[in-house]
Amino acid sequence: MPSYIQQIRRIPKPGKSESVLQHSIEGLKSLNRRGNVNFTVSASGESEGAITTDIPVSSASDLELFHDAFRNSPDSLKAFDEIAEECAKVELQIYRVVEPGVQPDGGAKYNARNIFVAKRGEVGNVIETLRELRNAFETVTPLITVPVGGNADTVRAVVQLSSIEQLEQWFEEVASDKFKEYRDRIGGLTIHRFVEVNRVEYRSQG
């Protein structure tokens, strides 16, 4: 089970989406590590059509070794900067894994990132409610993470999906009467929820 996820989130400049996508895939392949590259297919302006690389790591020490190796590799630094030149924005974020997700058979083709912003002092209750939801779902088992740095009131629940049809099934399950209590609890504990649907273009088992 991974302990952390290093995320690289890139917003391509106009006309550079495919180039950034392919170079991001090449970058992940060069690491010989587990991970995936995905791009946004449905979201509002908060997402800005992102191309995201997610790299799971097994421990804090492994994460530090990953950073050390990157900083000590001129080729990696050069490749990173070359991709950045084609981007309007590049963001780095570390996420701590609270609960692992479960991949569908054959691997995920899509994912749905649910970003919750808790009311001040309620992030712990949001996490516990999402844990209960995670165990109650029949269609999916979400990954639950919190950021290391950034907005400390944020919690993510990432759903790995085999198809758009499974996404539809999960939406229907969330909207069912069975989960009304959970929806009400989450609504009372948070000030914002944002959902972003992404297509997984490439994944590696390392």
Side-chain angles (χ1 to χ4, degrees):
M1 165 182 160
S3 295
Y4 294 92
I5 296 171
Q6 175 70 68
Q7 183 179 91
I8 308 167
R9 190 174 178 85
R10 298 178 169 101
I11 310 298
K13 293 176 180 177
K16 294 295 184 179
S17 292
E18 184 62 22
S19 178
V20 171
L21 178 62
Q22 295 305 321
H23 284 118
S24 296
I25 292 170
E26 291 169 11
L28 178 57
K29 286 180 178 179
S30 72
L31 297 175
N32 195 30
R33 279 180 171 266
R34 289 176 55 210
N36 69 78
V37 177
N38 53 84
F39 62 91
T40 304
V41 295
S42 183
S44 70
E46 293 183 52
S47 175
E48 301 181 275
I51 293 170
T52 304
T53 302
D54 291 313
I55 304 166
V57 293
S58 59
S59 64
S61 59
D62 186 32
L63 179 62
E64 187 172 345
L65 287 172
F66 171 71
H67 291 161
D68 289 345
F70 173 75
R71 291 298 305 163
N72 291 323
S73 170
D75 288 343
S76 294
L77 293 170
K78 180 182 178 183
F80 186 90
D81 286 343
E82 286 176 347
I83 302 174
E85 288 176 0
E86 298 186 326
C87 298
K89 182 166 59 176
V90 179
E91 296 179 341
L92 301 176
Q93 179 69 67
I94 299 168
Y95 291 97
R96 180 174 62 82
V97 176
V98 176
E99 294 288 350
V102 175
Q103 292 267 354
D105 292 340
K109 189 173 183 179
Y110 294 89
N111 66 55
R113 293 194 186 101
N114 298 261
I115 297 94
F116 300 89
V117 180
K119 294 177 180 177
R120 296 310 308 273
E122 297 288 3
V123 68
N125 290 323
V126 171
I127 291 171
E128 287 309 309
T129 303
L130 290 174
R131 276 178 161 148
E132 292 179 35
L133 265 171
R134 175 182 178 276
N135 293 330
F137 281 138
E138 296 180 4
T139 54
V140 297
T141 304
L143 162 75
I144 301 174
T145 64
V146 293
V148 178
N151 188 340
D153 293 319
T154 301
V155 184
R156 294 194 323 161
V158 182
V159 177
Q160 305 287 343
L161 302 156
S162 61
S163 64
I164 294 294
E165 183 177 359
Q166 189 183 17
L167 173 66
E168 188 176 59
Q169 292 169 354
W170 173 65
F171 279 153
E172 290 174 354
E173 185 176 24
V174 170
S176 68
D177 291 343
K178 176 182 176 181
F179 292 97
K180 183 179 186 305
E181 177 190 349
Y182 294 108
R183 293 197 304 271
D184 291 345
R185 282 166 58 185
I186 289 289
L189 294 168
T190 59
I191 58 174
H192 183 60
R193 177 192 176 206
F194 174 70
V195 182
E196 174 188 281
V197 180
N198 304 281
R199 181 179 171 102
V200 179
E201 185 71 8
Y202 173 78
R203 62 178 178 270
S204 169
Q205 297 303 315

